[in-house]
Amino acid sequence: MTTLPPPPAADPASEYQPIPLGHLFPHAPGDFEVFLRHGDSHTLFARDGEVIPADRRGMLAEYGVSVVYIHREQRDRYRGYMRRNLPGALLAADMSREQKAAVFYHDCCEIVRELLRDRLPQGISDMHGRLFVAYVRDCVAFLCTDAGLSRLGALMAHDYDVYSHGVHVFVYTVFLLKSLGLPQPAVIQAGVGALLHDSGKEGVDAAILRKPGRLTPEEFLAVREHPVLGERLCRPLSLSRLARECILMHHEKINGAGYPRGLSGEAIPVHARAVSLADVYDALTSRRVYADAVRPFEALRIMRHEMAGSFDLELYKRFVLLLSGAALL
């Protein structure tokens, strides 16, 4: 597997956030200022909108600089920059596989940190942040082949939100399965499947995915095809059976009313049941084109009462306890 460099360590008390130098893509100026660190001070290196040519980047590399800094107030601009440019970087012919793997891994870590900071109880984010980053590393390492990075780049280029949603679902799935005491290799493979669970949406018209109103019956049928299409698109990645099942079965329901196979109960493996639960929870608590985000308590109420029969009830109860900060890991 690919060896991945650790993400730069951030100081929560600092006004500046570290980012890898490799995230400043050639010919893609950022709409944020870039700083260099000298001891406890930071010096402006590039202004908002300034292109950093190869010779200046090379100069930094010569001096052993691998990390630069942005002001925390401009973090949203930086995230927008990655959203616009990461897909092209993963599909580019002039970046090595190692460079692509590192930038993909670090972007995943940043999304995970944001989720831990903004969506989970503080005690959880403090205790388990390193655990999740370690699982990100192990899961991403399986995908850092030429085929895997191209698949992810294509998915991001089609709809970056589908990719970032996959990272969120990865976190909740790993959180839940780890609490059940599953062996680490099984948790890692479920994490891979969770990360890729919506890969088939690459084959769904982007206009349908971003439609703010109710889907027509024909549009809904097109969306329903994405688990089967996702499993097919991911075949070149040589995924484990466990990971493929997460992709194919994440819309199956305990009562048999799901798709594509209409499986029910124990016929749905526990890892796929976990991805199903995580998928819906993240969708409800995230802003979508057709609905605003709801608060966690309301999301859990909807899942328990308005979607009764969809989920493994014992798994749902455990998920509620985990979100409440119960020390089940």
Side-chain angles (χ1 to χ4, degrees):
M1 292 191 297
T2 302
T3 300
L4 297 166
D11 178 359
S14 175
E15 296 180 357
Y16 296 89
Q17 173 179 324
I19 63 171
L21 178 61
H23 286 207
L24 301 179
F25 302 114
H27 315 301
D31 52 350
F32 47 84
E33 296 176 324
V34 178
F35 297 84
L36 299 179
R37 180 176 177 177
H38 302 281
D40 294 330
S41 63
H42 294 78
T43 303
L44 182 65
F45 177 72
R47 298 185 183 280
D48 177 348
E50 183 179 350
V51 175
I52 304 176
D55 59 339
R56 292 186 72 197
R57 293 164 57 88
M59 177 190 70
L60 293 180
E62 285 180 12
Y63 282 97
V65 175
S66 60
V67 175
V68 293
Y69 294 80
I70 61 170
H71 200 281
R72 288 191 181 276
E73 291 182 352
Q74 296 188 325
R75 183 164 50 196
D76 288 345
R77 294 188 185 184
Y78 166 67
R79 293 303 308 152
Y81 174 82
M82 293 299 295
R83 179 190 183 97
R84 294 189 301 273
N85 293 288
L86 181 58
L90 294 187
L91 296 172
D94 59 350
M95 282 184 70
S96 69
R97 183 174 67 186
E98 290 72 20
Q99 289 173 316
K100 293 177 182 180
V103 74
F104 166 50
Y105 170 49
H106 293 155
D107 189 69
C108 279
C109 288
E110 184 63 24
I111 295 174
V112 168
R113 286 195 187 106
E114 288 178 355
L115 183 74
L116 295 175
R117 183 182 65 241
D118 300 336
R119 303 273 193 97
L120 292 178
Q122 187 62 44
I124 293 175
S125 62
D126 288 344
M127 285 190 296
H128 304 299
R130 291 181 182 176
L131 170 71
F132 285 121
V133 168
Y135 273 104
V136 171
R137 180 196 62 224
D138 293 339
C139 292
V140 166
F142 277 97
L143 300 174
C144 287
T145 61
D146 290 333
L149 293 167
S150 294
R151 165 74 16 241
L152 287 156
L155 177 63
M156 292 178 199
H158 187 67
D159 193 319
Y160 186 91
D161 289 336
V162 172
Y163 152 69
S164 60
H165 165 66
V167 180
H168 291 178
V169 173
F170 155 84
V171 171
Y172 294 128
T173 298
V174 167
F175 198 19
L176 191 49
L177 295 180
K178 180 69 174 171
S179 80
L180 293 175
L182 265 67
Q184 183 169 329
V187 176
I188 291 171
Q189 290 305 313
V192 171
L195 194 62
L196 296 170
H197 78 281
D198 270 346
S199 292
K201 287 188 176 178
E202 183 190 333
V204 179
D205 189 332
I208 295 177
L209 297 178
R210 297 168 188 159
K211 184 176 178 179
R214 183 181 295 274
L215 298 181
T216 67
E218 293 77 16
E219 291 169 337
F220 184 62
L221 284 175
V223 172
R224 282 174 62 105
E225 292 295 318
H226 81 269
V228 173
L229 180 56
E231 193 273 337
R232 188 183 309 142
L233 287 172
C234 289
R235 285 177 189 170
L237 309 188
S238 300
L239 299 179
S240 67
R241 175 188 57 79
L242 194 152
R244 295 197 308 273
E245 287 174 344
C246 291
I247 297 170
L248 186 61
M249 300 180 185
H250 71 276
H251 278 290
E252 302 288 359
K253 298 181 179 180
I254 287 295
N255 61 9
Y259 59 88
R261 297 178 179 173
L263 300 177
S264 63
E266 294 297 319
I268 308 169
V270 65
H271 42 274
R273 281 179 262 152
V275 173
S276 173
L277 197 154
D279 178 31
V280 173
Y281 178 77
D282 185 67
L284 289 171
T285 55
S286 301
R287 188 180 182 281
R288 296 155 288 164
V289 292
Y290 53 87
D292 290 332
V294 302
R295 297 181 66 82
F297 179 83
E298 176 63 9
L300 293 170
R301 186 198 66 77
I302 291 170
M303 293 169 70
R304 178 69 179 91
H305 298 290
E306 297 182 25
M307 303 177 72
S310 295
F311 309 108
D312 178 325
L313 186 56
E314 293 306 311
L315 212 56
Y316 167 86
K317 291 177 180 177
R318 175 168 286 266
F319 190 58
V320 173
L321 287 174
L322 286 168
L323 291 175
S324 71
L328 301 181
L329 294 190

